[in-house]
Amino acid sequence: MNPTQTTLLELRDAIAAKKISAKQAVTAYLDRIDQHNNTLNAYHETYADRALQRAQDVDADKVTGPLAGVPIAIKDNLATDWGVTTCSSKILENFRSPYTATAVAKLEAAGAVILGKTNLDEFAMGSSTENSAFGPTRNPWDTHRVPGGSSGGAAAAMAADLCAGSIGSDTGGSIRQPAALCGVVGFKPTYGRVSRFGLVAFASSLDQIGPLTRTVSDAALMLSVISGPDERDSTCASQQPRDYLAEVDQPVSGLRIGVAKQYISDTNDPAVNQAVDEAINMFRSCGAQIVEIDLPHTQYGIPTYYLVATAEASSNLARYDGVRYGRRCDDPKDLIDLYSRSRAEGFGEEIKRRIMLGTYALSSGYYDAYYVRALKVRRLIKRDFDLAFSSCDAILCPTTTAPAFRLGEKSDDPLSMYMNDVYTVNANLAGIPGISLPGGFTTVTHNGTPPQKLPLGIQLLGPVFEETKLLRIARMYESATTHHQVRPSL
Amino acid sequence: MIAPDPENTPTTPATATTVPTVADGIKTQLVVGMEVHVQLATRTKMFTGAPNVAWPDNYDAQPNTLCDPVVLGMPGVLPVINKQAVEMSMLVGLALGCKIARQTKWDRKSYYYPDLPKNYQISQYDQPLCADGQIDIPASDEPDAPLKTIRIIRAHLEEDAGKLLHEAPGGIKIDHSIVDLNRAGTPLLEIVTHPDLDTPEQVVIFAQTLRNICRTLGVTEGIMQKGHMRFEPNINVVIEKDGQTYKTPIVEIKNLNSFKALYGAVSYEYRRQVDDWLQTGIVMKSGSKSTRGWDDVNLVTLLQREKEEAHDYRYFPDPDLVPLVIDDAWIDRIKPLLSELPLQRHKRYVEQLGLNAKDASAIIDEPKVAAFFEEVLTTGVDPKRAAAMLLNYGAKRANEQSCLISELGITPTQIKSIADLTAADKIGSSAADELFGHCCEPGNQSKSPDALAQEHGLLQVSDTGALEGFIDEVLANPKNAKIIDDIKNGKDKAIGALLGQVMKLSKGQANPKVVGDLIKQKVRGG
């Protein structure tokens, strides 16, 4: 078998059955990274020696577990006590963490082999992976286009088969949106399902770690490994992890799929709405009941999100001050100069924009009008979902409004960039799980270039801590379609 | 030594500050509310497992050794609440008669400073753990001063900051500042009172009372030089002139860490505000609070910050922590840990045990001695006799050894036995003192004082046969003829002189009462 042209699950089983060695698998992925990463810039760095050593330990049965020998990529905002943890920021360019994120530690404890760290929008703020201090990542389907963001490196690496599975983080859609634009599965679990310890915080009440994979089953397996309580994260739920994989192939009987009119907009790319229609038909043909639901506060999601997220970010990023670690400016005149120049030199434009927005939202005199009001709307959005889930098992909607856009297309228009998250942010505000699935393709041309095939995503949202059912529903869709089997030609 | 906890000695004004009660035809009244920071002596820090500098083992830790990634505010690490700190705070809150919140949350207070690693402090903004309490304190240092109630607004939990140093350890000059983060993240209980304090003396009594309560509850050792407690009085003066009332602007004095500084700063500020008002006529405006610092060399307060420059702290709920829910069961588990508070205990010692006020204070001032005394009392010993033994025999030995009375080695049972021997006239007072000393010697804790008294020949001789020899010898001495005549003539006082000689011959072992009776019999013949 070709270890890079398979699924995580198949590769895991092949290694376990010793049909292929972990070393062969890891070598094949490292070779493929060598071949394609220059073009794609999906990885910041790889840990070839460390990965090969781990693979040998797996082959010698010194390392075992449900992911033994499986080559995994991790987003570079997850701390590891090896390599650097940069968050794609100059301010952490040389930061070496003395600790490892719980999710990464769990992957390794399950036998996974960490190949390297993937590119992201700086501190996970962005929807295109263009806001990286280390250059943009390119979409494997069309290298003139963005992979989405902020987990663009993870999605591109997954789509290009530069890893067998990867993990990213999702604050307002940062797993699901790039998964949709790259044609892979991206799963944001319930807030609190996966420990945030070691995930460099963007917006603490919204951030959640999750897998980007080739298939739903792969995502189920990875979630089983990384989820569960952690005494180092007070916001992490006490629920014990489940074996999501064991149940994923069981279809849900009496399934009710909710469809909200607020998510089917005329301003969506027609291909997106068509993909959702096809999904509706597919579920109907499986015997599911299609329920019309109302999510009246959907339109307030983006402004609410950009207040809550920036407020928290302005505080979370205050620690990067050049005093204890990270970038410090040369020859500071005094304390204020040290602070302001270190931060001015270390942070990119989008970070500064969001820190200013968040600082403003929390300032005395504006706090009630912005932050407090945003929290109220956040509760209303959550209530919308609670009500909706009383009449359906999952909500079907697009992941994005359109397929991948071209590099630079939205760089000068932050608001248009922010609107990328319009279908994803509400899940974060409500804390509910959401999964983006390969939902078909569209063909686009630009300025007379040859027609280009681009993937589209459809999204399923479920009630809190109902990951098992959500994955089963996602798997029903996946097993009735072939979109996930199509790979970009590199 | 016994109490004299140097920090509890009565405060005398550092300078003879004239308190401006009546001057220039005006009447003034000082108004003070207090903010007190108490470092809680938990083993680990408020939000992480790093060792706490306020825990005795870590007092002398080298700079920046009590740190971990959470203390340093590194990327991706998260705070986790220290339950012990919460329980200690509940305990103090209960002792101050506060209501304990059923739900409390954590907020971030944002400001940039190099001793604050995250550039925000985790604190409690609008849902403090404890609120609405009160304590009674003596209104002055007079022995029979009436009690005065000081109302507590709130007591909330937060984390301490580190320290910024402008010279290297050892006083070495440097051209930059350096940071020691050992203190960063230490649990800090901030207690805020209503402006119920009237005099500088009362402010100090309140501070001392609060310190004694915290020490008794075991939440801090209360060592002032180490910053275990820091005081921030909020001061203004109400002035009456020509039937009109004026209020001076409120001043907060930051970070006072001795009772002397507290007294000095409040007294100085009282005077200064009145003088300032006389010169400028400026009165309090809403929100017009300025901040001053105490210069303990020149004994003046100096302006640090006007309100106009005040920070916007941008408080908001910390999304890394979940609200803390406290149920009745939890509070019920804490309540039994609430020991008798110093003022109540003092009252009991004086009124029920019959101790004099000074002895009672001497025992209570040091919680460990008080606890030891309570243990001694459980033996059924006479409280006054036990207190006298501790404060006489014990105090001087503790002083010599620079330890607490409770640490001398003598056990409560041994104290009871010595008291019994004394009560039964089996030993005299100097022998009791010596016996007390033997009980303190290493290895003697398991020995009974009876056996030790025997071993060291401390038991009194009451056997008349043995005593008669000594008495006859004394009576036969011609030098004593005059004294013997006096006794014959009914002067009982004169017996003392002969008694002393007999005691000397018996090497102190004679029972003085028996000797006295025998002398009378022999001299008066009957």
Side-chain angles (χ1 to χ4, degrees):
Chain A
M1 76 187 290
N2 181 344
T4 66
Q5 301 296 308
T6 177
T7 69
L8 182 153
L9 203 56
E10 288 163 357
L11 180 59
R12 189 267 310 250
D13 291 344
I15 293 169
K18 301 211 185 276
K19 287 181 188 157
I20 182 172
S21 72
K23 191 179 173 189
Q24 281 174 305
V26 168
T27 307
Y29 277 100
L30 289 171
D31 288 349
R32 197 170 164 86
I33 292 167
D34 275 348
Q35 209 182 336
H36 298 293
N37 197 53
N38 276 346
T39 313
L40 297 176
N41 195 28
Y43 281 91
H44 279 164
E45 63 175 5
T46 50
Y47 312 112
D49 292 347
R50 193 176 182 280
L52 287 168
Q53 182 57 53
R54 290 266 304 169
Q56 280 173 26
D57 290 347
V58 170
D59 291 333
D61 295 323
K62 285 191 234 167
V63 168
T64 56
L67 289 176
V70 175
I72 299 286
I74 59 173
K75 189 176 178 179
D76 196 11
N77 58 351
L78 289 156
T80 51
D81 66 9
W82 71 88
V84 290
T85 302
T86 71
C87 292
S88 290
S89 181
K90 275 195 264 178
I91 214 155
L92 287 177
E93 194 166 9
N94 300 308
F95 178 70
R96 290 180 179 274
S97 166
Y99 44 87
T100 297
T102 300
V104 178
K106 286 186 175 211
L107 285 172
E108 289 218 305
V113 176
I114 308 298
L115 291 174
K117 284 192 175 164
T118 57
N119 199 10
L120 63 147
D121 285 299
E122 186 174 359
F123 283 100
M125 296 181 195
S127 307
S128 68
T129 317
E130 291 167 296
N131 304 332
S132 167
F134 310 116
T137 295
R138 289 165 184 272
N139 192 316
W141 295 90
D142 175 356
T143 54
H144 295 99
R145 291 178 184 267
V146 302
S150 66
S151 308
M158 192 62 245
D161 294 305
L162 305 187
C163 60
S166 72
I167 57 172
S169 66
D170 189 315
T171 306
S174 281
I175 289 174
R176 292 161 289 156
Q177 186 255 15
L181 302 194
C182 290
V184 298
V185 174
F187 188 19
K188 181 202 95 74
T190 305
Y191 182 79
R193 178 63 90 182
V194 180
S195 166
R196 293 186 297 115
F197 180 85
L199 168 67
V200 180
F202 159 16
S204 312
S205 75
L206 301 162
D207 296 342
Q208 189 59 204
I209 295 169
L212 293 98
T213 53
R214 173 73 52 206
T215 69
V216 172
S217 302
D218 291 353
L221 173 58
M222 284 190 71
L223 183 64
S224 302
V225 168
I226 62 175
S227 61
D230 182 4
E231 60 180 24
R232 289 183 297 181
D233 176 4
S234 317
T235 63
C236 189
S238 56
Q239 275 96 334
Q240 288 301 323
R242 291 176 61 156
D243 184 351
Y244 301 102
L245 184 59
E247 299 167 71
V248 75
D249 284 323
Q250 298 169 21
V252 175
S253 58
L255 176 64
R256 296 162 306 164
I257 293 290
V259 177
K261 56 177 179 289
Q262 287 89 353
Y263 282 73
I264 310 296
S265 163
D266 290 347
T267 58
N268 288 352
D269 187 300
V272 166
N273 287 343
Q274 196 192 328
V276 173
D277 284 341
E278 283 170 18
I280 290 171
N281 290 335
M282 189 290 305
F283 277 114
R284 202 176 267 134
S285 69
C286 293
Q289 188 192 340
I290 305 301
V291 184
E292 196 177 311
I293 54 156
D294 192 16
L295 297 168
H297 297 95
T298 299
Q299 58 171 315
Y300 304 114
I302 289 288
T304 303
Y305 171 81
Y306 277 95
L307 285 170
V308 173
T310 58
E312 293 183 15
S314 71
S315 168
N316 283 335
L317 271 64
R319 66 189 63 195
Y320 308 110
D321 57 8
V323 173
R324 296 166 312 286
Y325 56 81
R327 188 189 185 90
R328 175 186 290 189
C329 66
D330 292 331
D331 303 317
K333 283 203 310 283
D334 53 27
L335 183 59
I336 299 299
D337 190 43
L338 167 72
Y339 282 154
S340 47
R341 270 204 294 134
S342 299
R343 287 167 71 80
E345 293 168 7
F347 285 140
E349 196 183 338
E350 182 61 25
I351 304 299
K352 290 173 190 164
R353 176 159 34 236
R354 297 201 192 189
I355 288 174
M356 283 190 282
L357 275 172
T359 304
Y360 188 75
L362 289 177
S363 293
S364 126
Y366 301 96
Y367 181 81
D368 290 332
Y370 294 113
Y371 184 73
V372 171
R373 188 171 296 179
L375 291 189
K376 285 179 186 158
V377 178
R378 184 178 184 177
R379 280 194 292 275
L380 293 174
I381 288 169
K382 189 173 185 309
R383 204 177 59 185
D384 280 358
F385 282 114
D386 289 345
L387 284 172
F389 288 126
S390 64
S391 63
C392 67
D393 301 293
I395 295 166
L396 172 65
C397 59
T399 310
T400 61
T401 54
F405 48 92
R406 281 168 293 109
L407 266 84
E409 188 180 328
K410 299 188 178 183
S411 302
D412 297 328
D413 187 356
L415 281 180
S416 146
M417 187 72 97
Y418 292 175
M419 289 311 287
N420 266 292
D421 304 328
V422 68
Y423 296 138
T424 49
V425 290
N426 289 334
N428 300 78
L429 290 168
I432 60 173
I435 189 166
S436 180
L437 303 168
F441 294 90
T442 185
T443 302
V444 294
T445 55
H446 177 69
N447 288 349
T449 57
Q452 198 74 44
K453 186 176 178 181
L454 293 176
L456 298 165
I458 61 140
Q459 185 177 209
L460 287 164
L461 305 172
V464 288
F465 296 112
E466 295 277 5
E467 277 88 351
T468 306
K469 198 199 268 180
L470 188 61
L471 285 162
R472 287 165 62 197
I473 298 168
R475 177 71 189 120
M476 286 168 73
Y477 174 82
E478 184 185 68
S479 59
T481 57
T482 55
H483 309 312
H484 62 285
Q485 292 166 359
V486 184
R487 290 172 144 91
S489 51
L490 294 173
Chain B
M1 56 181 282
I2 187 79
D5 176 354
E7 312 190 1
N8 248 355
T9 48
T11 307
T12 42
T15 52
T17 317
T18 333
V19 176
T21 42
V22 183
D24 303 328
I26 60 168
K27 256 176 89 178
T28 66
Q29 178 55 59
L30 178 70
V31 181
V32 184
M34 288 281 273
E35 288 174 26
V36 185
H37 286 97
V38 183
Q39 285 186 340
L40 300 176
T42 52
R43 297 176 63 86
T44 57
K45 292 193 179 187
M46 185 61 232
F47 294 109
T48 180
N52 176 7
V53 74
W55 176 255
D57 292 354
N58 308 321
Y59 286 169
D60 302 317
Q62 291 297 303
N64 292 314
T65 56
L66 308 177
C67 293
D68 68 6
V70 176
V71 173
L72 294 171
M74 294 184 112
V77 295
L78 298 167
V80 177
I81 296 169
N82 181 337
K83 198 175 156 197
Q84 202 191 3
V86 172
E87 296 190 341
M88 282 184 174
S89 303
M90 286 163 70
L91 202 52
V92 175
L94 290 170
L96 299 179
C98 291
K99 294 189 189 79
I100 306 299
R102 289 306 190 268
Q103 178 172 315
T104 180
K105 68 176 175 70
W106 310 90
D107 301 281
R108 292 183 181 179
K109 176 182 179 177
S110 295
Y111 62 92
Y112 278 80
Y113 207 62
D115 67 4
L116 190 67
K118 302 182 295 297
N119 288 314
Y120 62 82
Q121 177 194 34
I122 305 176
S123 181
Q124 299 190 292
Y125 180 55
D126 55 357
Q127 291 178 26
L129 184 55
C130 317
D132 293 333
Q134 58 177 57
I135 55 165
D136 292 339
I137 61 163
S140 75
D141 279 332
E142 298 301 314
D144 296 319
L147 292 180
K148 168 148 198 202
T149 299
I150 308 300
R151 293 168 299 152
I152 308 292
I153 297 175
R154 57 187 279 163
H156 71 257
L157 200 44
E158 58 188 29
E159 54 177 346
D160 209 343
K163 274 182 188 164
L164 200 56
L165 308 169
H166 306 288
E167 50 184 37
I172 298 158
K173 292 260 182 297
I174 44 176
D175 66 351
H176 56 283
S177 299
I178 51 178
V179 185
D180 177 9
L181 293 177
N182 278 357
R183 202 178 69 177
T186 283
L188 209 54
L189 183 65
E190 181 175 335
I191 300 162
V192 184
T193 78
H194 280 277
D196 290 346
L197 297 152
D198 292 341
T199 65
E201 188 188 19
Q202 230 172 59
V203 168
V204 171
I205 293 169
F206 169 78
Q208 288 174 335
T209 306
L210 190 60
R211 174 171 178 269
N212 284 351
I213 289 172
C214 290
R215 278 161 51 85
T216 303
L217 295 173
V219 305
T220 175
E221 287 211 81
I223 302 173
M224 307 291 286
Q225 308 92 289
K226 294 194 184 297
H228 290 175
M229 290 186 86
R230 307 194 293 265
F231 303 100
E232 296 182 345
N234 280 254
I235 303 168
N236 79 333
V237 183
V238 178
I239 298 170
E240 266 182 63
K241 189 182 180 192
D242 305 330
Q244 290 270 9
T245 304
Y246 306 89
K247 290 177 178 172
T248 60
I250 298 177
V251 167
E252 175 173 339
I253 305 175
K254 302 299 280 184
N255 266 325
L256 299 169
N257 60 2
S258 77
F259 296 123
K260 192 174 154 188
L262 183 58
Y263 187 93
V266 174
S267 305
Y268 177 85
E269 193 58 25
Y270 189 1
R271 175 90 231 173
R272 190 197 66 78
Q273 289 190 14
V274 174
D275 288 348
D276 198 58
W277 180 81
L278 286 169
Q279 271 180 23
T280 66
I282 294 173
V283 294
M284 184 168 80
K285 287 195 298 270
S286 157
S288 68
K289 184 161 114 177
S290 60
T291 302
R292 300 179 78 89
W294 175 240
D295 174 347
D296 60 5
V297 177
N298 298 309
L299 305 175
V300 293
T301 63
L302 299 171
L303 185 68
Q304 287 180 340
R305 198 174 75 208
E306 298 279 11
K307 176 69 183 179
E308 288 71 38
E309 305 158 34
H311 288 113
D312 177 358
Y313 289 120
R314 301 195 303 281
Y315 281 102
F316 81 107
D318 191 332
D320 285 336
L321 291 163
V322 290
L324 186 64
V325 176
I326 298 167
D327 57 12
D328 288 343
W330 193 1
I331 296 176
D332 289 344
R333 279 201 304 280
I334 299 303
K335 273 185 182 159
L337 305 175
L338 199 62
S339 33
E340 189 180 34
L341 296 176
L343 211 61
Q344 297 159 341
R345 181 169 276 177
H346 189 270
K347 194 167 179 243
R348 178 167 64 90
Y349 283 3
V350 172
E351 290 177 7
Q352 291 176 29
L353 305 185
L355 268 53
N356 71 43
K358 200 171 149 233
D359 285 358
S361 297
I363 289 171
I364 287 163
D365 274 346
E366 174 50 58
K368 285 176 188 160
V369 173
F372 181 71
F373 182 64
E374 288 293 318
E375 222 183 305
V376 173
L377 291 178
T378 61
T379 63
V381 70
D382 170 45
K384 281 163 80 176
R385 196 181 291 273
M389 283 170 63
L390 290 182
L391 298 177
N392 295 320
Y393 313 153
K396 62 179 180 190
R397 290 188 170 81
N399 216 354
E400 282 161 17
Q401 296 172 30
S402 307
C403 69
L404 296 174
I405 294 172
S406 49
E407 297 165 347
L408 284 168
I410 189 166
T411 68
T413 329
Q414 287 177 322
I415 290 174
K416 161 80 163 129
S417 300
I418 298 174
D420 288 350
L421 289 171
T422 316
D425 264 342
K426 289 188 180 164
I427 52 171
S429 64
S430 63
D433 187 2
E434 199 184 329
L435 185 54
F436 189 101
H438 289 306
C439 288
C440 295
E441 283 160 20
N444 281 355
Q445 275 66 56
S446 55
K447 294 187 183 166
S448 81
D450 290 68
L452 285 169
Q454 209 120 48
E455 185 186 327
H456 294 280
L458 297 173
L459 289 173
Q460 296 189 130
V461 179
S462 304
D463 168 19
T464 46
L467 294 176
E468 273 180 59
F470 298 132
I471 294 169
D472 291 346
E473 193 181 330
V474 169
L475 292 179
N477 189 338
K479 286 182 183 164
N480 288 333
K482 169 82 173 64
I483 299 168
I484 292 166
D485 280 348
D486 287 348
I487 297 170
K488 271 184 190 157
N489 295 333
K491 276 195 184 168
D492 277 1
K493 264 194 176 171
I495 296 172
L498 299 187
L499 184 64
Q501 295 176 37
V502 174
M503 294 306 287
K504 205 170 176 185
L505 287 173
S506 76
K507 300 200 168 77
Q509 290 183 43
N511 182 330
K513 191 169 172 300
V514 178
V515 172
D517 289 348
L518 280 174
I519 291 173
K520 264 195 242 174
Q521 265 177 40
K522 281 183 184 278
V523 174
R524 294 176 187 163

